[in-house]
């Protein structure tokens, strides 16, 4: 049996903490230009959003806080499959052109877009083959981290091994595996426990102290200590915030005050709108881990108290075979992409 404590509204378990704060509807997205809303960022006054589409240009829609599009930032770059958006402290918008449902891309790309629409294109390569990825985190040092969407096993975290270059593809290295398991939260494009652990978006708090990853059904908050490494933080136990009822939840962002924002696509679900929702005070739910006990203070181990091997807890449930994962991949592939980034 897994031990637990109830503390400050959180259910603390042997693996992670679960929080169920109020998730409030903010406004409805009805504009067809965001029918496949997949990436979201906020500067506190306005929101920036990207649609999961391929029309020969990179379009970033600027919305007011009533979900109305007020203007469009148009970059000349021709992306293949933009899946996420991050806002850097200097105002640069980073578009993650990393989607690869068919595992066919030799490179993925990041587009660094200025408010005036000028853009820089950076290509990247994985060290271990092709991956589909829908989440981007940019740490306090401006280093991008790409998190993969894995149907079997843990989501993987990759970052460049050196500074980005516009002249040649930059190799990446795998730096972490994320401890996310299936949940019973409702939502997503399919009723499957696999769906509840597919990472579809990421966001960093304004101060860089909290990283958020989302699946179709839940958000996970990871504290990033001052001076701490984001990759290491993503391997710590997160706080889970259920985001139930989103038909295809892929967008997530932080307001500067720590409010967590989420949104879903609606075009592929046959709907006419989706809702931007807010979890106020979400960043404060990610509590840094307690200081590590030094060897001098640590009590001597008591071998008699050690649990038998059969009682050990595995963070990952067994997924029901490769056939289930392959079927899921086929169901989630919405269209083939015609152009390369």
């Amino acid at each position: 049996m897994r031990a637990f404590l109830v503390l400050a509204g959180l259910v603390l378990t042997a693996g992670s903490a679960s929080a169920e704060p109020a998730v409030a509807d903010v406004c409805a997205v009805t504009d067809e230009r965001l029918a496949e809303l997949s990436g979201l960022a906020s500067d506190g006054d306005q929101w920036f959003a990207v649609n999961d589409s391929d029309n020969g240009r990179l379009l970033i829609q600027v919305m007011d806080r009533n979900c109305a599009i007020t203007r469009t930032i148009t970059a000349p770059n021709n992306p293949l499959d933009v899946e996420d958006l991050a806002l850097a402290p200097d105002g640069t918008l980073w578009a993650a052109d990393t989607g690869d449902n068919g595992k066919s891309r030799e490179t993925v790309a990041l587009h660094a877009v200025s408010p005036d629409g000028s853009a820089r294109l950076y290509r990247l390569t994985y060290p271990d083959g092709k991956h589909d990825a829908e989440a981007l985190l940019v740490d306090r040092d401006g280093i991008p981290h790409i998190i993969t969407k894995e149907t079997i096993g843990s989501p993987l975290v990759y970052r460049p091994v050196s500074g980005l270059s516009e002249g040649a593809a930059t190799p990446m290295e795998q730096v972490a595996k994320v401890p996310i398991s299936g949940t019973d939260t409702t939502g997503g494009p399919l009723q499957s426990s696999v769906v509840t652990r597919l990472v579809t978006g990421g966001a960093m708090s304004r101060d860089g102290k909290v990283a958020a990853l989302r699946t179709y059904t839940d958000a996970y908050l990871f504290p990033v200590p001052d001076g701490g490494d984001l990759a290491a933080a993503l391997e710590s136990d997160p706080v889970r915030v259920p985001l139930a009822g989103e038909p295809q939840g892929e967008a997530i962002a932080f307001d500067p005050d720590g409010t967590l924002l989420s949104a879903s696509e609606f075009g592929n679900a046959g709907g006419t709108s989706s809702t931007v929702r807010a979890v106020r005070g979400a960043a404060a739910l990610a509590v840094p881990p307690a200081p590590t006990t030094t060897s001098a203070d640590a009590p001597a181990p008591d071998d008699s108290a050690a649990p038998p091997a059969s009682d050990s807890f595995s963070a990952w449930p067994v997924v029901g075979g490769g056939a289930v994962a392959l079927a899921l991949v086929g169901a989630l592939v919405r269209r083939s992409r015609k152009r390369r980034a």
Side-chain angles (χ1 to χ4, degrees):
M1 178 181 294
R2 298 174 65 191
F4 66 92
L5 293 171
V6 177
L7 178 63
L10 303 181
V11 180
L12 304 180
T13 71
S16 62
S18 177
E20 296 198 24
V23 182
D25 293 351
V26 178
C27 55
V29 179
T30 59
D31 197 305
E32 288 291 329
R33 287 175 289 180
L34 290 174
E36 295 183 36
L37 172 57
S38 62
L40 190 66
S42 171
D43 67 3
D45 297 321
Q46 55 194 353
W47 300 329
F48 305 90
V50 288
N51 205 49
D52 182 4
S53 63
D54 173 24
N55 57 10
R57 296 176 299 170
L58 175 56
L59 304 176
I60 299 176
Q61 308 297 344
V62 183
M63 295 192 291
D64 64 21
R65 299 184 72 89
N66 293 312
C67 289
I69 295 176
T70 59
R71 62 189 177 94
T72 301
I73 299 173
T74 303
N77 296 16
N78 180 7
L80 178 64
D81 189 358
V82 174
E83 292 286 359
D84 206 1
L85 192 66
L87 177 63
D90 65 358
T92 300
L93 289 158
W94 288 86
D97 186 2
T98 56
D100 191 12
N101 284 314
K103 304 293 196 311
S104 61
R105 302 180 65 169
E106 296 299 328
T107 64
V108 294
L110 296 176
H111 305 266
V113 183
S114 299
D116 63 3
S118 60
R120 302 182 303 277
L121 170 63
Y122 303 104
R123 298 187 187 278
L124 304 103
T125 59
Y126 293 103
D128 54 357
K130 302 172 178 65
H131 294 275
D132 185 26
E134 296 190 4
L136 173 67
L137 298 173
V138 179
D139 70 11
R140 279 174 283 194
D141 295 323
I143 300 173
H145 293 63
I146 294 172
I147 299 87
T148 64
K149 185 181 184 182
E150 302 291 337
T151 55
I152 297 177
S154 303
L156 306 176
V157 182
Y158 293 86
R159 69 185 176 200
V161 299
S162 61
L164 299 176
S165 170
E166 293 184 76
T170 302
M172 292 188 290
E173 60 182 340
Q174 183 191 323
V175 292
K177 294 182 179 181
V178 186
I180 291 177
S181 57
T183 73
D184 59 1
T185 308
T186 59
L190 295 173
Q191 296 302 309
S192 167
S193 62
V194 177
V195 165
T196 67
R197 59 178 183 78
L198 298 177
V199 173
T200 60
M204 292 293 298
S205 63
R206 172 64 70 86
D207 60 10
K209 294 182 178 181
V210 181
L213 295 177
R214 73 159 300 159
T215 66
Y216 287 115
T217 56
D218 300 88
Y220 294 85
L221 308 177
F222 300 82
V224 185
D226 287 334
D229 178 59
L230 176 57
L234 292 174
E235 290 194 323
S236 66
D237 293 330
V239 172
R240 179 172 64 91
V241 178
L243 300 172
E246 295 189 7
Q248 191 157 327
E250 297 194 8
I252 192 169
F254 276 110
D255 270 336
D257 67 359
T259 296
L260 187 71
L261 305 169
S262 74
S264 174
E265 296 187 7
F266 63 85
N268 288 303
T272 58
S273 67
S274 63
T275 303
V276 173
R277 303 195 297 171
V279 180
R280 299 195 181 281
L285 298 174
V287 181
T292 303
T293 302
T294 64
S295 57
D297 297 332
D302 182 0
D303 293 339
S304 64
S310 60
D311 289 340
S312 63
F313 173 72
S314 172
W316 283 102
V318 177
V319 179
V324 173
L326 290 174
L328 180 63
V329 170
L332 293 177
V333 174
R334 297 185 293 275
R335 66 160 68 89
S336 63
R337 304 288 178 178
K338 299 178 182 179
R339 303 179 180 92
R340 290 192 65 213

